[in-house]
Amino acid sequence: MDDSKLFVFLLCLFAQFCISFSASDQVNSFQSVPDLEKSMYMAIDGYPCVRLLNLSGEIGCSNPGRANIVAPVTRFKTANKLAEPSALLVSIDQFEDLFARLSDDADFSRHVVGVLVESGSQLPNGLKGFSPDKKFPQAEFAPYQSGKFEWNPTGSGLMWRAYNFPVFLLSNSSTLALQEIALRNEKREKSYTVDVADFDLVMQTTKSGTRDSETCLREQTCLPLGGYSVWSALPPIVVSSSKKVKPMILTVASMDAASFFRDKSVGADSPISGLISLLAVVDALSRVDGLGDLDKQLVFAVFTGEAWGYLGSRRFLLELDQHSDAVSGLDLALIETVLEIGSVGKGFAQDDKTFFAHSTKESATNGTLSALKDALGSLKTKSIKISRASKSNPGLPPSSLMSFLKKNPETSGVVLEDFDATFTNKFYHSHLDDLSANINSSAIVAAASVVARSLYILASDKKEINNSVLNTININASLVKELLGCLLSCEPGLSCELVNRYIAPSASCPSHYVGVVLGEPSSQPYPGNVGDVPRFLWNFLADKTAIPSKNTSSACPKGCSGNGEMCVKAETDGKGVCVISSTRYVPAYSTRLKYESETWEVLPHNSSDTMGAADPVWTESNWDTIRLRVYTVQDTRFDSWILLLGVTVTVLSYIIIVISKAFITKALKRD
Amino acid sequence: MTVGAGIGYALLALGPSLSLFISVISKKPFLILTLLSSTLVWLMSLIVMSALWRAFLPLKTAAWWPYTILILTSVGFQEGLRILFWKVYKKLEDILDAFADRVSKPRLFMTDKMQIALAGGLGHGVAHAVFFCLGLLTPAFGPATYYVEKCSKIPFFLVSAIIALAFSTIHTFSMVIAFSGYEEGNKVDKCFAPVVHLIAAMLQGRIQNRNCRDWLTFHFLIPQAVPDPPKETLTNLAFGGCMIGIPLLYCVAIVTLVHCGKMAWRRLIESRSREGNLSNSQ
């Protein structure tokens, strides 16, 4: 007993000695079992590529079944040979190489079950351009034979193919985390643990086996792509008037971009620079007096869905044909000329800003082109140049004007772009077409100045142009800068002051993906079914083109009862204002679709609708959740060892206890 | 990990206790009652401790002396409860002996007394294992595993299970030693249980190496699990971690086991020779 006492005292001393060394390290600390789970499973924020369907098949990415994909994370090196199913971590400059290898090497592609794309604050060296769109985007809609002409030579066409594995774009912070994890996996060669990525990109159309638009719309496992376009008239069109209706000049821009990754469709140069330009033009012209006395009516329209088959412009033209509510006050026959503002954000070469005017038939567009020239002259600056597009171009670049031209080949239309024969935007329709290096705000201001003055000149028609008035038309450069920050970045994003003046946005990071049509399409949609950007545009345009209502003490939205009145800024804490304005939503969806009794129907091809014949009718699959997470997994051998150990310990202890019991009983000869 | 590994960890922590239960305790209903009541007493002591200390937590200081006080008070409280448990047992023993005399049945044998002490200790051990290991084991049934930085060779759940096994052993057998110590008045045996308890507590803190503050808040402020007295939190040492801590803890457990074995053997031999003398003298 003495030795055990001694031992105990020694231990006690040792422990006391140890107390003085106490230091509390900051180690993995958690407050509860759910916290423990959270630290075990690291959630990764990533932008997925989702499953889209058309009339003949599918494109995009999806898990191949109903289950999650779990695979160890490894880096993609071009000489890689994969031994087991893996999740590849690839940087953006190797992206095209990876997909080329996937289509060539069947053995390699069998082992690739998931792809993670890195992203960083800076472009990797040697990446001159990246565009997953085709070399002639939407060639099937061109009003001319496209042949082998390449508007977008950097295009790889990757976003139009179908993949049966998940692909995610990582955010900047997740990229660092995953690079570390991949490195860790490489270091531990013979270990019994490995870090895996868990992809949840299960698409409903895969689960239900509906592999094209028609079946999936019928089974309601998908929704059609589309949204709401916005048009506005400056000054407002008063329908019931004794005055003769004026001929109209339509200025057009588009608001939707596309990319390989659905939620990262930024589209800074194509097409948001054009959109911002149009908004600046409206702002500048709204400050001009006497627009109502001019000969022509100015109308501005912003279409959505243009990247997916010119949904907005085609639907707009269809509604004009049907004289529907959405376009009341407008008449296709009265639209004299169309001016489209395309990508204008890169219109700079050294200090000069150069734009190109692509036009339809020369005879029809002489008026517009001379107006542009006069406007340029009035600006009295040598740094802006506008040239006509090269004659070797087969026709218009991909733009909404193509819809107008297909409808009426005699349309007079001009598209203002920052390129001539090939896109200057090397990141067309990719997640890299963003604010950081791709566009220049002074180019947008320059384009907007020219367009604003040209519109005034066009609207004045042959009358004597009042130069003093013309010279007061100036673009607010700070508005342009503000719009760039609000629409093209996450800081401040849609929580910026300008946007919050008009709407209550649902998210801070703007995404210009067209989205799907929620609910029934109508000219007065439920605001929850309309995206943040269209709602902002509607409110902004309505506010800028408005005539104040006579009934000033009205509280929106209940109080706007007058003729042509509408409620602006309705979402901002009940401070809505009633104004007289002609600003409306126009639903934008494929002309081959019809919404009837809560479902979408694909209409048979109508011979008068030539664009509809080429329309693939894009739909997007539904899904439950999309999630990406990373955690450590043990070898199955290790798990079996643990089970064996537990069972052995239990059985062994049982045997020992039984033996001791027998021993004691025998030794005491009782009990 | 998977369901198999989860079951493995659970068996590792509670397997020997289960074997002990099946082979010894389940045979006599009184022992089962003793086990349940001692588990309950241990739980209530945790609740009282956490209620008392809730006012002072979370401790925002990095100094070590509040944690020492915390550990000392809680170990002291539990040991005090052990003495109370002993007194209640003594009274019960008198009642049972009186009843046995009345119905002319033999009194409690030494083995019976030791079995009661064993059941009491097992109650404490099982409660400790359940709340410290099984409570955390739910994530172990999922696909992922978890490694703590300081102990990067062994999964966290394995460490948890091993510690729970050691502790249940310590609790079970130190109760036997303590009861025998109180009965005989043996100083070493009487001090054995508190000292071993304290050492094991500090060792656990060292092995699991969690930030003291967070461990305290974890165990005191989560609503679903019963809060644990802070004895397990002290020393977060820079060296060793689980590589030194776990073997040391098992040393303590083996010392307890050996000491208990030696003491039990001695007492049983003594009582048998005493009874032998009695029967001889009759």
Side-chain angles (χ1 to χ4, degrees), chain B residues 203-219:
Chain B
L203 281 173
Q204 182 182 14
R206 181 185 174 169
I207 296 164
Q208 299 207 289
N209 217 16
R210 239 174 251 128
N211 180 303
C212 301
R213 220 167 301 151
D214 296 318
W215 177 262
L216 289 175
T217 38
F218 170 50
H219 280 283

Side-chain angles (χ1 to χ4, degrees), chain B residues 47-88:
Chain B
I47 294 173
V48 169
M49 275 308 305
S50 75
L52 283 173
W53 274 99
R54 209 184 191 99
F56 299 93
L57 291 175
L59 289 174
K60 299 245 193 298
T61 160
W64 55 267
W65 58 264
Y67 302 105
T68 322
I69 294 179
L70 214 52
I71 286 187
L72 287 173
T73 48
S74 42
V75 170
F77 187 74
Q78 289 212 320
E79 295 305 322
L81 266 182
R82 200 195 291 271
I83 296 177
L84 199 69
F85 199 62
W86 156 257
K87 293 222 158 63
V88 169

Side-chain angles (χ1 to χ4, degrees), chain A residues 1 3-5 7-9 11-12 14-16 18-34 36-37 39-41 192-193 198 629 631-634 636 638-640 642-647 649-651 653-655 657-658 661 663-664 666-671, chain B residues 1-2 4-5 7-9 11-12 15-16 19-20 22-24 27-28 64 68 109 111-112 135-136 139 142-150 153 155-158 186 188 192 195 199 202 206 209-211 213-214 217-218 222 224 234-237 248 252 255 259 262 265 268 272 275:
Chain A
M1 200 139 55
D3 50 330
S4 62
K5 190 170 158 184
F7 191 73
V8 162
F9 267 99
L11 267 180
C12 203
F14 179 66
Q16 287 287 82
C18 292
I19 292 175
S20 56
F21 277 83
S22 89
S24 55
D25 300 310
Q26 268 300 340
V27 218
N28 335 17
S29 48
F30 46 86
Q31 311 262 338
S32 60
V33 174
L36 171 62
E37 282 219 18
S39 57
M40 282 168 71
Y41 298 92
Y192 47 80
T193 57
D198 182 330
R629 51 183 196 172
Y631 48 84
T632 318
V633 151
Q634 270 169 201
T636 36
F638 193 82
D639 289 344
S640 343
I642 296 283
L643 183 60
L644 198 65
L645 183 67
V647 171
V649 162
T650 311
V651 167
S653 54
Y654 185 76
I655 292 174
I657 291 167
V658 164
K661 228 171 67 162
F663 184 69
I664 293 177
K666 197 166 141 196
L668 297 180
K669 288 191 187 98
R670 80 175 68 235
D671 207 16
Chain B
M1 290 175 293
T2 48
I7 294 176
Y9 292 128
L11 280 179
L12 194 58
S19 319
L20 199 58
I22 292 175
S23 54
V24 177
K27 306 266 190 318
K28 302 189 179 172
W64 55 267
T68 322
F109 295 118
T111 47
D112 294 327
L136 297 179
T145 182
Y146 187 59
Y147 284 76
V148 186
E149 265 168 39
K150 286 289 166 107
K153 303 279 184 252
F156 169 75
F157 300 102
L158 189 58
N186 188 335
V188 170
F192 191 88
V195 165
I199 295 172
M202 292 187 301
R206 181 185 174 169
N209 217 16
R210 239 174 251 128
N211 180 303
R213 220 167 301 151
D214 296 318
T217 38
F218 170 50
I222 42 168
Q224 64 267 28
L234 202 55
T235 53
N236 284 344
L237 292 175
L248 271 179
V252 174
V255 161
H259 187 98
K262 279 208 281 200
W265 184 249
L268 285 170
R272 187 186 65 164
E275 263 147 56

